[in-house]
């Protein structure tokens, strides 16, 4: 598994663990992006080190080739002078430098592949980081909107409770008003009853007077 894959796996694991722990989404997103930024810095440093190693190998290989060529030139000079022994010695000294140049060339090929792969991983992480930053801003905005909506709903719930209290007070007032109206109506009925009694007394008095007058007339006859 490559370095970039391990980085993504760690980030996903941390994100999943944090979400399951009900951590603050905004802080979690900020931390995740910060972790990815830190990983990108490490990858860039690794790429820089790999490139530096590649450059050093190139210099060593070039130096080995140059030294091998120098001993070859010396061997050729010795042959031109008719000194086969010296020419043979020069060619012998040339061999280790040729081997070093060959090994260095193989190392350069491997290092180029490593650097290319590391650069590709670095570009992938840069793209993922850019995407993460965009999503972070979007998710933070959604989180804040959700929190504001939650607070608003809580306030509306509290207001509903307050309005319920007003309704209960109104019911009590209506009940008091009904009681007051009932008392007034009873009082009115009571007053009407007393008035009727007075009229009845008055009417009874008229009958008695008329009866007395009739008796008087009969006695006179």
């Amino acid at each position: 598994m490559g370095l970039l894959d391990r980085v993504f796996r760690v980030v996903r694991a941390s994100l999943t663990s944090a979400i399951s722990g009900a951590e603050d989404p905004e802080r979690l997103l900020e931390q995740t992006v910060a972790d990815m930024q830190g990983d990108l810095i490490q990858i860039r440093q690794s790429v820089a080190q790999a490139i530096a190693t590649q450059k050093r190998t190139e210099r060593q290989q070039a130096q080995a080739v140059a030294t091998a060529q120098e001993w070859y030139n010396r061997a050729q000079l010795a042959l031109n002078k008719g000194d086969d022994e010296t020419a043979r010695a020069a060619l012998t000294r040339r061999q280790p430098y040729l081997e070093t140049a060959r090994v260095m060339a193989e190392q350069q090929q491997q290092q180029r592949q490593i650097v290319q792969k590391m650069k590709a991983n670095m570009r992938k992480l840069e793209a993922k980081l850019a995407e993460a930053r965009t999503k972070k801003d979007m998710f933070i905005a959604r989180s804040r909107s959700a929190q504001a909506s939650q607070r608003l709903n809580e306030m509306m719930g509290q207001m509903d409770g307050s309005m319920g209290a007003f309704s209960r007070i109104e019911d009590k007032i209506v009940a008091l008003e009904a009681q007051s109206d009932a008392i007034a109506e009873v009082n009115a009925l009571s007053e009407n009853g007393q008035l009727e009694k007075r009229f009845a007394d008055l009417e009874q008095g008229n009958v008695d007077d008329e009866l007395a007058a009739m008796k008087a007339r009969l006695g006179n006859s």
Side-chain angles (χ1 to χ4, degrees):
M1 180 179 294
L3 175 61
L4 190 64
D5 293 334
R6 289 196 296 272
V7 168
F8 290 155
R9 186 179 65 175
V10 170
V11 169
R12 285 195 297 267
S14 300
L15 187 62
T16 302
S17 175
I19 291 175
S20 62
E23 294 187 13
D24 176 50
E26 186 170 339
R27 187 182 67 82
L28 169 62
L29 291 169
E30 294 286 0
Q31 185 60 48
T32 300
V33 171
D35 291 342
M36 293 180 68
Q37 180 65 43
D39 294 332
L40 178 58
I41 291 173
Q42 291 182 0
I43 289 180
R44 284 174 175 171
Q45 292 174 345
S46 298
V47 171
Q49 292 174 356
I51 292 175
T53 300
Q54 180 183 351
K55 296 295 184 183
R56 184 169 61 253
T57 302
E58 290 176 356
R59 289 193 298 270
Q60 292 174 345
Q61 195 262 350
Q63 181 63 39
V65 170
T67 304
Q69 184 62 42
E70 182 180 350
W71 282 109
Y72 181 83
N73 293 338
R74 289 178 178 179
Q76 191 171 32
L77 177 62
L79 283 177
N80 291 338
K81 297 293 184 178
D83 189 351
D84 291 353
E85 186 66 26
T86 301
R88 184 179 293 106
L91 291 175
T92 301
R93 292 289 300 274
R94 177 174 178 259
Q95 291 302 314
Y97 294 103
L98 287 176
E99 180 64 18
T100 298
R102 185 188 66 79
V103 172
M104 292 296 178
E106 292 178 355
Q107 288 184 3
Q108 285 185 65
Q109 181 63 27
Q110 294 174 357
Q111 288 169 354
R112 278 193 292 269
Q113 293 176 355
I114 292 173
V115 169
Q116 289 175 358
K117 185 174 182 180
M118 294 179 69
K119 285 182 176 179
N121 287 338
M122 182 179 68
R123 287 191 290 269
K124 287 181 181 179
L125 184 55
E126 287 173 343
K128 288 292 184 181
L129 179 58
E131 181 183 0
R133 284 173 173 162
T134 300
K135 288 186 176 181
K136 180 204 70 173
D137 295 338
M138 179 182 65
F139 288 156
I140 286 178
R142 288 176 58 185
S143 175
R144 291 178 178 176
S145 177
Q147 291 174 2
S149 178
Q150 180 181 1
R151 288 194 295 270
L152 179 60
N153 289 333
E154 291 174 352
M155 292 174 62
M156 292 299 295
Q158 294 174 355
M159 292 180 65
D160 289 341
S162 299
M163 295 305 295
F166 277 106
S167 297
R168 291 190 295 273
I169 292 173
E170 182 181 9
D171 291 341
K172 291 183 179 180
I173 292 174
V174 170
L176 290 174
E177 290 174 345
Q179 291 177 1
S180 177
D181 292 341
I183 293 173
E185 185 175 349
V186 169
N187 290 337
L189 291 174
S190 177
E191 291 176 356
N192 291 334
Q194 293 176 0
L195 183 61
E196 290 293 335
K197 184 176 183 300
R198 287 197 295 271
F199 276 111
D201 291 341
L202 291 175
E203 290 174 356
Q204 184 64 35
N206 292 335
V207 171
D208 292 340
D209 292 340
E210 186 176 357
L211 180 59
M214 290 177 66
K215 289 180 178 182
R217 285 196 296 272
L218 290 173
N220 292 331
S221 63

